Amino acid sequence: MLVADDNQDGIWTVSGLAGAINQTLDFAYGRILIEGEVINLKISRNTWVYFDLKDEDSSLRCFGSVYSLTMPLEDGMHVVVESAPKLHAQYGFSLNIYNAQPIGEGSIKKAADITRAKLHGEGLFDESRKRPLPTMPQRIGLITSFESAAFQDFTKILSARWAGLEILLYDCLVQGLEAPNQITKAINHFNNLNVDILVITRGGGSADDLVAFDSENVVRAVAGSRTPVVVAIGHESDFTLAELAADRRASTPSNAAEIIVPEKSAYINLKRQKVNNALHSVKALSSRLSKGIRSQQERLSSSMTHYLRIQKGKLASKREVLFSLNPDLVLKRGYAVIRSGSQVLDTVHTFKVGQLIEAKLKDGKVQAQVKQISVE
Amino acid sequence: MSQDFKFSEAANELDDIIEHIQSGELTLDDAIKKYKQAETLLKKLEDYLTKTENKLSVINPNDKE
């Protein structure tokens, strides 16, 4: 039999017993995970949440802050609750809730649909909000579990494709009740660092494994990230809300690596092609200049030929004039030139009677003396 | 490869040089000089991608709290 420690008569006070029971509950259970169906859900003043958690045979009252919920709850949902059993002095026994997450595909889908409708209304999934990814990221913030295959796949493909990258891994849980808080903290952490891009990734799994990526806090952190975000969850159907809010979705961790960096051989080949094109431009310039010089030579040669032809024509014409003026031609037609010494006597006034003169004819010269002069 | 080598800056410089050559504004001598620079830069980029490794640092959330 337990003995009351505050009353020597062995009789408990109500508060004393309630305190002792709470100490026992805390010692025996602390925080526990408990699974059940939500019924009688009530939210008071948008601050407090009350519901009963039941299974086939039992039902327990639950109480907590709405801020502790990472997903919306509804009557009929199956949930796992992180809670501490408490005996309240006034309200009796209940579970103090620290976290709650839907379990099972149906409940998760229902919770995700509620969150989706709410955040869609706020425009968090709008295409217009999505930013282009940096073309050549240098520092990559990676959010995943260090132990996961997703981490191995992502970093392996990244190293095969590109070099000189700085990868900062925030090693965090990507499933379970604590995952939403850790992922949200990781996003906020990277937003205070100078990284070029954020990649949040994990492999595929059941709806329960992926439920953290439908958490409102995670989705808001993704949408509100200052750094562009790629979310890569290894599954093809039923996208999580974090994927819808991301700037870019990738189908797998490997696909995320393929999206964010180019492949180095293809990149170098493309650059080499451009350099080759530049070489063609240089060759074309050289060829154009050579053609220009040849063309100028041809034009010069052509104009010289033309000039010479004109000069030749002019010369021929002058030659003809000169030829027509040749006095021998006049002599041949029967005329004579009469001189006295070196003076040509071309008028009767230059003659004197008795003067000795010389007449030049076409075939010789005649010496003669002037006998008479008559003027006509 | 020098630690000071900035890949993206070198890649942008290469693009600028190629664009300059193809603009048709250069003399033949300058175009040939620029082409030689482009070849050198391309080689540096290729060496960087072949010889440089990626670096990983791990942040543990428990260290941050």
Side-chain angles (χ1 to χ4, degrees), chain B:
Chain B
M1 182 70 53
S2 160
Q3 289 298 311
D4 294 334
F5 181 76
K6 299 271 189 252
F7 186 92
S8 58
E9 285 176 16
N12 289 339
E13 190 184 349
L14 176 60
D15 288 344
D16 289 346
I17 288 173
I18 290 170
E19 196 177 319
H20 207 174
I21 291 172
Q22 294 180 325
S23 70
E25 293 167 356
L26 296 178
T27 63
L28 182 59
D29 277 355
D30 287 343
I32 291 169
K33 276 181 201 159
K34 288 282 178 193
Y35 172 72
K36 284 181 180 166
Q37 280 180 26
E39 269 193 326
T40 307
L41 271 175
L42 178 65
K43 180 79 174 60
K44 282 184 180 175
L45 294 176
E46 193 169 7
D47 284 352
Y48 179 88
L49 289 179
T50 312
K51 294 172 186 168
T52 316
E53 303 217 326
N54 293 334
K55 281 191 295 188
L56 174 73
S57 348
V58 181
I59 301 156
N60 188 325
N62 298 324
D63 296 342
K64 297 282 155 189
E65 298 306 316

Side-chain angles (χ1 to χ4, degrees), chain A residues 243-256:
Chain A
E243 288 167 274
L244 296 179
D247 293 295
R248 183 81 182 266
R249 174 192 172 265
S251 58
T252 60
S254 303
N255 182 227

Side-chain angles (χ1 to χ4, degrees), chain A residues 118-267:
Chain A
K118 177 180 176 186
L119 300 185
H120 182 268
E122 295 181 26
L124 261 63
F125 306 130
D126 289 356
E127 283 299 315
S128 60
R129 297 187 77 258
K130 300 191 185 304
R131 296 159 294 185
L133 304 182
T135 51
M136 210 175 283
Q138 177 67 31
R139 296 184 89 207
I140 298 167
L142 177 61
I143 299 173
T144 192
S145 163
F146 183 59
E147 305 291 337
S148 65
F151 169 72
Q152 295 295 337
D153 290 350
F154 177 78
T155 50
K156 183 179 157 194
I157 299 297
L158 206 62
S159 294
R161 290 177 69 82
W162 203 248
L165 298 167
E166 196 178 342
I167 304 156
L168 306 173
L169 168 69
Y170 194 103
D171 178 18
C172 75
L173 293 171
V174 287
Q175 67 187 63
L177 274 172
E178 192 49 34
N181 284 339
Q182 288 200 5
I183 295 168
T184 306
K185 277 181 189 167
I187 294 169
N188 293 335
H189 176 79
F190 279 127
N191 271 295
N192 291 320
L193 293 181
N194 186 24
V195 294
D196 301 320
I197 192 167
L198 271 185
V199 177
I200 305 170
T201 189
R202 62 152 290 149
S206 67
D208 290 311
D209 293 336
L210 306 181
V211 67
F213 296 90
D214 286 326
S215 148
E216 182 175 334
N217 289 346
V218 170
V219 180
R220 284 194 185 281
V222 168
S225 172
R226 282 199 294 274
T227 310
V229 182
V230 174
V231 175
I233 310 296
H235 69 127
E236 286 294 348
S237 59
D238 292 338
F239 298 164
T240 62
L241 302 185
E243 288 167 274
L244 296 179
D247 293 295
R248 183 81 182 266
R249 174 192 172 265
S251 58
T252 60
S254 303
N255 182 227
E258 288 162 2
I259 284 173
I260 66 170
V261 292
E263 201 282 314
K264 53 189 169 190
S265 302
Y267 178 88

